[in-house]
Amino acid sequence: MGVELPYAADADSPLKSEELQVLRAQYEKEGPYVGIQTKFNYAWGLIKSSFRNEQQEGVRLLSDITRNAPERRRECLYYLALGNYKLGNYAEARRYNDILIDHEPTNMQAGSLRSLIDDKVAKEGLVGVAIVGGLAIAAGVVGGMIFKGARRR
């Protein structure tokens, strides 16, 4: 009997706009001297957003934190993985998530996110194969029609 991992709940649970606005207001209030925790909180809220531009900004802020405050890197890894997953950057998502799992092999959220990433990559891979296969069949039909038309002349 397998162990059921908890779902990476942050993947599909955006904050209410009012909640994100509270984080944004605090971030903007601190201006150029914004604290690392405030920046992290705002980035977390942005990553959870349903809007691509906000997710991108969240990834950018978390990347900035990992560069400028390496002691906070571990905290950022899951949300960098999640943000990249939501943006469709699956290789980056897997890279960040794998780093986290290397440091915390029993991290159940990271394990759940790994499953989400793997499922999405497999699904999109199958869609890609179907598209290529469909194009090959269409090219074969068109080629056959051209060949058949050339034989009639």
Side-chain angles (χ1 to χ4, degrees), residues 10 13 22 42 47 56 65 74 99 113 115-117 149:
D10 290 320
S13 58
V22 168
Y42 182 46
I47 292 293
Q56 289 170 328
I65 292 170
R74 190 204 56 75
I99 293 168
L113 184 55
S115 296
L116 289 177
I117 294 166

Side-chain angles (χ1 to χ4, degrees), residues 15-107:
L15 295 179
K16 294 177 184 159
S17 60
E18 302 82 29
E19 294 169 324
L20 183 58
Q21 184 52 39
V22 168
L23 297 174
R24 180 180 289 119
Q26 181 63 37
Y27 176 79
E28 291 172 352
K29 177 182 167 190
E30 292 184 26
Y33 304 106
V34 64
I36 296 295
Q37 188 62 49
T38 299
K39 186 183 279 191
F40 177 85
N41 292 346
Y42 182 46
W44 167 81
L46 291 168
I47 292 293
K48 292 172 65 69
S49 173
S50 299
F51 300 106
R52 184 174 181 81
N53 63 325
E54 290 180 344
Q55 294 164 358
Q56 289 170 328
E57 178 67 6
V59 167
R60 187 191 68 73
L61 290 173
L62 289 171
S63 296
D64 186 51
I65 292 170
T66 60
R67 268 192 312 280
N68 297 318
E71 68 280 3
R72 300 293 296 266
R73 183 171 186 249
R74 190 204 56 75
E75 292 175 80
C76 295
L77 288 172
Y78 174 76
Y79 290 104
L80 281 165
L82 181 64
N84 279 289
Y85 167 79
K86 291 179 77 171
L87 290 167
N89 303 331
Y90 304 123
E92 280 296 289
R94 181 177 280 144
R95 185 174 74 81
Y96 286 119
N97 202 54
D98 285 348
I99 293 168
L100 179 56
I101 288 173
D102 286 347
H103 287 89
E104 296 180 17
T106 60
N107 185 315

Side-chain angles (χ1 to χ4, degrees), residues 132-151:
V132 170
L135 290 174
I137 290 170
V141 169
V142 170
M145 292 171 61
I146 291 171
F147 182 71
K148 188 176 180 180
R151 280 194 339 187

